[in-house]
Amino acid sequence: QVSLVESGGGLVQAGGSLRLSCAASRRTFMGWFRQAPGKEREFVAAISWSGGATYDADSVKGRFTISRDHAENTVYLQMNSLKPEDTAVYYCASRKLITTGQGYWVVDEYDYWGQGTQVTVSS
């Protein structure tokens, strides 16, 4: 069992920045996903158990950075140069210990999810 608590969402103007946090009850491979109204949940970024490897979706590459603090067992998503199309509910997720082999960008690879935090970017 892994519990995840997100924080840090809000309303920001285009071009602005936000940092999302995800406090986890234990350290695992972690991902951030987002879901806009009427759309499917999509991969944003992921980070390995050690923090030595990170992965980003093409849509956020160069703007978003995922990182983790081992001491605090917290994963962060620093979001810069935000665009209106980044508006969504953002979720952190813990990857299954025994993966399905589909890849870290697939929703079904994750079995524990946070409650979600709303990010709204105004134009």
Side-chain angles (χ1 to χ4, degrees):
Q1 190 86 7
V2 181
S3 67
L4 304 169
V5 179
E6 298 139 350
S7 60
L11 172 64
V12 65
Q13 288 189 330
S17 299
L18 282 174
R19 188 177 79 157
L20 306 183
S21 300
C22 176
S25 58
R26 64 181 176 87
R27 183 158 42 133
T28 66
F29 185 110
M30 295 287 295
W32 282 99
F33 290 76
R34 66 186 181 187
Q35 189 165 19
K39 294 189 176 182
E40 293 188 352
R41 194 166 296 190
E42 65 173 4
F43 170 74
V44 175
I47 188 165
S48 64
W49 181 89
S50 68
T54 61
Y55 311 90
D56 304 312
D58 288 344
S59 59
V60 305
K61 207 174 291 287
R63 300 188 298 122
F64 291 11
T65 303
I66 189 171
S67 62
R68 70 189 312 158
D69 182 326
H70 294 316
E72 298 292 328
N73 236 2
T74 299
V75 175
Y76 301 99
L77 185 67
Q78 178 66 44
M79 307 185 294
N80 298 328
S81 303
L82 282 160
K83 304 175 182 180
E85 51 263 44
D86 294 319
T87 295
V89 177
Y90 284 70
Y91 300 89
C92 64
S94 172
R95 194 177 186 185
K96 295 174 180 177
L97 291 180
I98 301 175
T99 70
T100 65
Q102 298 178 78
Y104 58 82
W105 58 91
V106 177
V107 169
D108 286 347
E109 283 282 299
Y110 299 80
D111 52 0
Y112 295 103
W113 294 82
Q115 80 282 4
T117 185
Q118 176 71 46
V119 171
T120 303
V121 184
S122 63
S123 57

